[in-house]
Structure formats: C-alpha cells, structure tokens
C-alpha cells in the first residue's frame, strides 16, 4: 500500500509540469509596466523563480539565487524572479526595496502564471517554483516548493545550472539535466 501511495505522488508530481517544453510566451510585469520578456534572454541559461512575497522559504530561495547570479553571471547565466501573490502588483515594490535582488524581478497574475509554469487546471502548486530554461529557450526542469529537491536547493540548483551551461558551452544539443538525489532523512 505504501509503495502505491509513493508511486501515485511521483506520477502526480510528474504530471504537474511537463519537461522539456517550449517556454511560453509570457511577459513578467514590472511596477513601471515595462515588463520582462523572458525570451529575450535566449542564449543564456535562465533560472526563473516564482515566489510569494510573504513566504520565508521563498525569500531564502531568492537570496540564494542572488548569490548564484553573482557567481555565474559572467558565464552567461541569468536569474529572473516573479511574485505570484494575489496582490503581487502592489507587493513587489516593497519586496524589491527590502531584499534588493540583483536580477530583474516583477510579478505575474494568475493566467500568465498558469501558462508559464504549465499548471494543470484546478491545481495550486506550492511556491517557490524554480524553472530552469536552457540557452535555446526550452524549459528543461521545474520544481515546486513541496518537492524534495528544495531540501538541498543549493546543491541541486548549482548542478542543473552548471550542467546546462556546460551543454551550451560545448555546443551539444541540450539534454535533460537532473539534480542529485535529495538527502535522506
């Protein structure tokens, strides 16, 4: 019975977002209404973090991604962020002022979020959501906040980003990159 439950949850998590998939044509809104076009970063390895402004784990992930941006930006890495709260348009300015992420940050409303994160109808995934995009604009991996991947987000994220950058730099066709197994508890 336990194995069936584990299998069910594994299949459910795989069904939430299909990877690889083409990047959806969605613009992340900014308070100044200029917007962030994710597709303009084609040629770079992109990590898009979708977060809630009031979520402590989300803030930790945004702070970690800020370090990642500093470590890998010179190698062609780009971090992006989008708040996905119900009132994100009103909350994002104070969030950016408080945490000062060194990468572009904006917000998404419900419909663009569903389209970008490939969320099935009727599902409400946990934040933060990490979306890894290769240099050709293909979503290669996606993890939700309740995924075991986030137990050691730094190790897994660095492994995926490094793998995607190595594929780009070697000129090979992008392939599926997986994170190391999460730590056992």
């Amino acid at each position: 019975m336990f194995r069936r439950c584990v299998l069910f949850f594994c299949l459910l998590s795989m069904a939430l977002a299909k990877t690889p998939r083409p990047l959806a044509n969605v613009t992340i809104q900014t308070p100044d209404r200029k917007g962030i076009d994710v597709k303009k970063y084609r040629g770079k390895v992109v990590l898009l973090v979708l977060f809630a402004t009031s979520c402590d784990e989300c803030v930790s992930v945004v702070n970690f991604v800020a370090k990642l941006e500093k470590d890998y930006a010179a190698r062609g890495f780009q971090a992006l962020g989008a708040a996905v709260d119900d009132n994100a348009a009103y909350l994002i300015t104070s969030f950016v002022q408080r945490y000062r992420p060194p990468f572009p940050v904006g917000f998404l409303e419900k419909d663009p979020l569903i389209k970008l994160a490939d969320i099935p109808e009727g599902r409400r995934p946990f934040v933060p959501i990490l979306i890894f995009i290769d240099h050709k604009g293909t979503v290669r991996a996606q993890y939700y906040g309740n995924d075991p991947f986030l137990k050691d987000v730094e190790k897994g994220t660095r492994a995926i980003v490094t793998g995607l950058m190595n594929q780009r730099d070697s000129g090979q066709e992008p392939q599926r990159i997986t994170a190391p197994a999460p730590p056992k508890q």
Side-chain angles (χ1 to χ4, degrees):
M1 181 66 174
F2 176 74
R3 287 184 183 177
R4 287 183 188 169
C5 288
V6 169
L7 178 61
F8 171 77
F9 285 112
C10 288
L11 292 173
L12 180 64
S13 68
M14 288 180 357
L16 284 177
K18 294 169 184 66
T19 56
R21 69 175 187 272
L23 180 63
N25 192 19
V26 171
T27 299
I28 298 170
Q29 297 302 311
T30 56
D32 61 7
R33 299 291 184 203
K34 289 184 180 178
I36 302 166
D37 182 2
V38 181
K39 289 191 173 198
K40 90 172 192 178
Y41 294 99
R42 192 178 177 117
K44 293 186 175 197
V45 171
V46 176
L47 172 55
L48 175 56
V49 181
L50 307 178
F51 61 91
T53 58
S54 61
C55 161
D56 292 336
E57 187 174 349
C58 296
V59 171
S60 296
V61 168
V62 168
N63 287 332
F64 160 66
V65 173
K67 286 189 242 176
L68 202 66
E69 172 74 17
K70 290 176 185 173
D71 293 348
Y72 291 126
R75 287 192 56 203
F77 169 76
Q78 180 64 56
L80 300 171
V84 296
D85 309 74
D86 288 336
N87 294 322
Y90 304 103
L91 300 170
I92 192 61
T93 300
S94 61
F95 181 89
V96 169
Q97 289 172 347
R98 181 173 183 185
Y99 297 105
R100 301 198 181 282
F103 51 87
V105 176
F107 64 91
L108 287 171
E109 294 181 1
K110 184 180 177 182
D111 290 339
L113 165 64
I114 290 169
K115 184 177 179 183
L116 182 64
D118 192 37
I119 300 170
E121 190 175 325
R123 302 270 185 210
R124 187 174 176 133
F126 290 91
V127 289
I129 302 171
L130 302 177
I131 301 174
F132 296 86
I133 306 163
D134 70 20
H135 65 284
K136 292 191 174 189
T138 301
V139 175
R140 290 287 163 187
Q142 179 170 316
Y143 296 95
Y144 296 106
N146 60 344
D147 193 288
F149 174 85
L150 268 75
K151 288 187 184 321
D152 192 355
V153 69
E154 183 168 351
K155 182 179 179 182
T157 300
R158 285 185 185 276
I160 292 173
V161 168
T162 300
L164 289 172
M165 287 191 302
N166 289 342
Q167 286 178 3
R168 181 203 57 213
D169 295 345
S170 69
Q172 49 178 224
E173 278 299 307
Q175 300 169 8
R176 183 162 177 82
I177 299 289
T178 56
K184 293 183 180 180
Q185 294 193 355

